[in-house]
Amino acid sequence: MAASLGVFQAHGFNGSSVQDLTDAAGVPKGSFYNHFKSKEDLALEALKLYLECSGAEILRDERLEPLDRLKRHFRANWKTAKDRGYTAGCFLGTMASEIADTHEKSRAAFLNVFQVWSVLIERAIKEAQERGEVAKDRDPALLSRFVLNAWQGTLVRMKVVKGEGPLKDFIAMVFDVLLK
């Protein structure tokens, strides 16, 4: 599964053939359909693997202050992008932008993951509001969705500029302006 994730991250869904995927896994192409009905099914399994390593556990760690959880989560995701030389952003975001219009099963899975991720961010924001760290007159659900949307854009910009400037902008706007 890790091999397929690497191929999808390097070449995208449409740029990855079944042959590429089986070559990376070191298995014969003929065995692919013994395990998966389609390339889309493999991509969804790769998404599950990606999510296991996405840093979401930081958002659930209530031993940390809520805003600290958020900062650590986004910095951990940034570090992953940096370690890859800013050549791969968020697998979820990349796949969603590539195939959500053409693969309904994947679109539904992407929607679910974005919703769960937004809820985790929302919970941290609500907790920060309860502590008086974020203004209580702001809708935490709206803020969480906006922060996640901004993060996806940040990852795209980091790929383009090949640096952390967009991360610095994201941190400044989210934590010094929106979540005040």
Side-chain angles (χ1 to χ4, degrees):
M1 200 59 58
S4 65
L5 178 58
V7 171
F8 284 130
Q9 284 184 308
H11 305 289
F13 182 85
N14 292 319
S16 302
S17 68
V18 171
Q19 185 70 57
D20 296 332
L21 295 161
T22 55
D23 286 351
V27 298
K29 182 178 179 183
S31 68
F32 178 84
Y33 292 102
N34 292 333
H35 302 283
F36 301 99
K37 291 180 183 176
S38 66
K39 186 170 73 166
E40 179 183 17
D41 286 343
L42 175 58
L44 290 173
E45 288 300 314
L47 176 62
K48 289 177 187 175
L49 177 63
Y50 175 78
L51 293 173
E52 290 172 10
C53 306
S54 69
E57 69 279 354
I58 296 169
L59 292 172
R60 292 182 179 98
D61 187 351
E62 294 186 4
R63 295 172 298 174
L64 300 171
E65 300 290 323
L67 294 179
D68 189 39
R69 286 197 305 265
L70 289 173
K71 287 178 187 175
R72 286 179 186 222
H73 172 70
F74 291 116
R75 284 192 178 124
N77 280 272
W78 160 75
K79 184 175 179 338
T80 300
K82 179 183 176 193
D83 290 349
R84 292 185 186 134
Y86 300 104
T87 59
C90 172
F91 180 67
L92 169 65
T94 300
M95 292 294 284
S97 66
E98 187 176 359
I99 66 170
D101 288 340
T102 57
H103 293 75
E104 182 56 31
K105 184 164 73 172
S106 291
R107 188 199 66 74
F110 302 150
L111 177 62
N112 181 61
V113 173
F114 278 125
Q115 288 174 330
V116 168
W117 196 356
S118 291
V119 167
L120 291 171
I121 295 168
E122 180 183 352
R123 287 180 185 158
I125 292 171
K126 281 182 181 177
E127 188 179 331
Q129 286 176 319
E130 291 166 4
R131 293 170 175 243
E133 298 167 357
V134 173
K136 291 182 181 184
D137 64 341
R138 297 180 182 167
D139 179 353
L142 176 60
L143 282 172
S144 70
R145 291 189 308 271
F146 182 81
V147 166
L148 183 52
N149 294 342
W151 178 245
Q152 290 297 312
T154 297
L155 290 169
V156 170
R157 283 290 298 270
M158 284 191 294
K159 285 175 64 173
V160 172
V161 302
K162 301 287 186 206
E164 66 183 47
L167 170 75
K168 290 179 178 180
D169 295 345
F170 174 84
I171 296 293
M173 288 304 299
V174 169
F175 295 99
D176 297 340
V177 178
L178 287 176
L179 300 181
K180 276 292 188 188

